[in-house]
Amino acid sequence: IGKTSTIQRCLSTMPQVIIHTKYQDKQFYTKQINYLMVECPSDCSVKTLAFNILSGIDKVIGSDYFARAASQSMAVSAISTKLKIICMNHHIGLIVIDEIQNAILTATKNKQIKPLMKFLVELTNETSTGICFCGTLEAEEIFMKQEHLKRRTRGLRLLPMKCDAT
């Protein structure tokens, strides 16, 4: 039904990056990322998702966060912490995770759903970065099973349409 295209068109109405050079008449330099759109990896380990987000940041601001993180053998918790700091430094407003059902299906099959959900909840809580999940109804099942996830995943849902006169 064009979920990804619709979100991309909506987001394209605003600048993806704002470069600040001054704040209250003082020199201040930062690249603020309003939104970031990343594809959910098919294996969907927490590490791979974090690397995809770092890679997305690199693409929009021309940094090398991914290369530096990938060149070091860091634990998942260290990469997660590094990602949180980068999100706060660049004031990321929204991360759209496309094809979230890939993560849910793989994490369920490998019994890794708790680490993934914990990572996403912590990322939101500790950075004040909004996360928008884009995917099929298969993903909704996991989010609706747990109360703390139910209230975090409210919002627009496009349900399958019935073929009728309308």
Side-chain angles (χ1 to χ4, degrees), residues 1 137 157-164 166:
I1 62 173
L137 289 175
R157 282 173 171 66
L158 298 174
L159 300 174
M161 295 183 185
K162 294 177 183 156
C163 187
D164 59 15
T166 311

Side-chain angles (χ1 to χ4, degrees), residues 1 10 15 24 32 41 55 63 70 76 78 85-86 106 109 123 130 134 148 154 159:
I1 62 173
C10 292
Q24 294 182 346
Q32 174 188 343
S55 178
S63 57
V76 174
I85 292 167
I86 292 167
T106 303
K109 185 174 74 178
L123 184 64
C134 182
H148 75 285
R154 296 186 315 218
L159 300 174

Side-chain angles (χ1 to χ4, degrees), residues 6-120:
T6 301
I7 289 175
Q8 286 174 332
R9 280 195 307 276
C10 292
L11 291 175
S12 72
T13 63
M14 68 180 106
Q16 187 167 18
V17 177
I18 300 172
I19 299 173
H20 299 276
T21 56
K22 205 181 248 190
Y23 180 73
Q24 294 182 346
D25 294 326
K26 292 182 182 169
Q27 293 287 46
F28 175 76
Y29 185 81
T30 191
K31 291 180 180 179
Q32 174 188 343
I33 301 171
N34 287 328
Y35 64 89
L36 192 63
M37 193 147 183
V38 297
E39 185 90 12
C40 192
S42 57
D43 78 336
C44 202
S45 67
V46 170
K47 188 173 189 174
T48 308
L49 183 56
F51 277 166
N52 275 7
I53 295 170
L54 289 173
S55 178
I57 293 168
D58 289 348
K59 285 177 191 166
V60 299
I61 63 170
S63 57
D64 64 345
Y65 294 124
F66 172 75
R68 284 192 270 162
S71 69
Q72 303 168 354
S73 60
M74 295 170 38
V76 174
S77 59
I79 293 169
S80 176
T81 301
K82 187 177 190 90
L83 177 62
K84 291 172 193 171
I85 292 167
I86 292 167
C87 285
M88 289 186 291
N89 286 344
H90 292 290
H91 316 283
I92 298 178
L94 177 69
I95 298 174
V96 178
I97 301 177
D98 196 14
E99 304 297 341
I100 190 66
Q101 75 276 1
N102 292 346
I104 301 303
L105 295 173
T106 303
T108 302
K109 185 174 74 178
N110 298 340
K111 296 185 173 41
Q112 295 177 321
I113 197 69
K114 284 187 180 175
L116 176 66
M117 289 301 128
K118 184 175 184 253
F119 167 71
L120 293 170

